[in-house]
Amino acid sequence: MAAAAAAATSVTAKQKEMKGLLLGRYEIGKLLGHGTFAKVYHARNVKTGEGVAIKVIDKEKILKVGLTAHIKREISILRRVRHPNIVQLFEVMATKTKIYFVMEYVKGGELFNKVAKGRLKEEIARKYFQQLISAVSFCHARGVYHRDLKPENILLDEDGNLKVSDFGLSAISEQIKQDGLFHTFCGTPAYVAPEVLARKGYNGEKVDIWSCGVVLFVLMAGYLPFQDQNVMAMYKKIHKGDFRCPRWFSPELIRLTTRMLDSNPETRITIPDIMNNKWFKKGFKHIKFYIEDDKLCSHSQSESDSELEIRRKNTTSLPRPASMNAFDIISFSRGFDLSGLFEEGANGGARYITAAPVSSIISKLEEIAKVVSFTVRKKDCRVSLEGLRDGVKGPLTIAAEIFELTPLLNVVDVKRKGGDRLEYEEFCNGELKLGLQSLTTGKVADSPDLRSDNNEYSDTNR
């Protein structure tokens, strides 16, 4: 009786946890789906009113099957691939028994549901395919390979934009063996590349391109390129690259599809060649975005010279910068720099003291940005500089914030918010240092970067 009562109490507690506020922040709604180790619920952020999807993972189950490292890697991957066409991970929370992934809620459902009704119009299919390739290209540039691309793992938002999801089978470049290839057999049979079936090692980028080719075919044809009731017979067709394009495929589309579904990975088309393809480029718009305060933001339309001049003049009426408190001043010393305890990521940083007014500091930062062709965004006493080069960790993004040390002195606090650490250090020791030299009375302190890039997003409880 006691055991039964305890079990009932446990069930009731779980029900309350799911129906009530999750950690005092999210109101849990209906169940959206479930798998072996996780359930996904719709939820609402009670503070902002924003709808989110929360993936609830059972800690005990993943410990039993040894998937702890797998979950940590998935978190790391999702933090690495923030893009408008990829489902966003907002935060990760944990209790003693559960791990919670708070993710973007995509209202439009799976792309599969659209394709199940029949083939799409060419313009719509092309738009989805362009967004898919943009997202996959972004992942590959960051050393992430999805390995399970299919319409069921592609969602659509309420505006009809594509969002790649489910990175559970993804791999990162750090997992590549000495031969430069992956060896894990994974994927969905109808979308899996022939070299994966051969079990001799494969290139993650080429495998994703094959899957994208199958997705393109399905969008335009309304059925799979390799079909057979017998799975082994289907595998033989995949191995040979044995398929036919329907009569409504244009010659350009046939050439593109054939090159993507080339059974030889060595001669299979590359992402840059896909993006230069005539059929692909029709109506294609490159997405420009940036990360601000850990959120995805879209670039606004370019301003005219007169608008920029007005904004420059308005910098003279900027608000007074925030004063630094005792903790901030103490942390100037290397030995007392405790920022690593509070900030996620390995950002590094530098601080400069200057007697120059805020408007002059901002003007100088704009000059430096112009020299290296960086984009500038300003908000009060904060300036963000973003580079154009799209490296493994995305474009170099730097935040420079101005604080008041005394009524006559200001501090310029510079930190890396995104991009490669070495590129950041080169910029700080070169253009930034030279540019600020005329304004500063001295460099105050460096914040050493102590954590490795591999562990940047390994924590499960932010």
Side-chain angles (χ1 to χ4, degrees), residues 188-306:
T188 301
Y191 294 85
V192 74
E195 59 267 31
V196 177
L197 296 175
R199 296 177 184 262
K200 292 180 181 178
Y202 56 89
N203 179 306
E205 184 173 341
K206 296 288 187 173
V207 164
D208 280 349
I209 290 170
W210 173 279
S211 299
C212 287
V214 179
V215 171
L216 173 60
F217 188 98
V218 170
L219 294 179
M220 285 297 301
Y223 57 86
L224 288 161
F226 308 102
Q227 290 189 96
D228 203 290
Q229 290 183 341
N230 184 297
V231 176
M232 293 312 295
M234 181 178 72
Y235 282 168
K236 284 181 181 179
K237 288 181 180 179
I238 291 172
H239 185 72
K240 293 178 182 178
D242 181 17
F243 73 98
R244 279 187 180 182
C245 292
R247 54 181 172 74
W248 56 85
F249 275 35
S250 67
E252 291 169 357
L253 180 57
I254 291 171
R255 281 193 292 271
L256 176 58
T257 308
T258 303
R259 289 208 61 200
M260 294 184 75
L261 297 179
D262 183 347
S263 59
N264 182 357
E266 298 298 322
T267 55
R268 192 174 301 153
I269 194 170
T270 63
I271 291 281
D273 286 340
I274 292 171
M275 298 183 89
N276 281 324
N277 177 272
K278 189 177 178 181
W279 186 88
F280 178 92
K281 288 202 298 184
K282 191 174 181 180
F284 177 62
K285 292 181 181 178
H286 185 70
I287 298 172
K288 292 186 177 181
F289 66 97
Y290 60 94
I291 307 296
E292 183 73 43
D293 295 329
D294 208 33
K295 290 182 180 179
L296 269 177
C297 304
S298 299
H299 277 292
S300 58
Q301 293 182 341
S302 58
E303 298 170 293
S304 66
D305 291 340
S306 59

Side-chain angles (χ1 to χ4, degrees), residues 24 61 93 137 148 210-211 224 390 399 420:
K61 285 182 180 178
M93 304 182 295
S137 173
D148 194 25
W210 173 279
S211 299
L224 288 161
D390 207 8
D420 184 68

Side-chain angles (χ1 to χ4, degrees), residues 393-404:
K393 301 205 77 179
L396 177 61
T397 307
I398 295 164
E401 195 161 2
I402 304 163
F403 296 95
E404 183 183 274

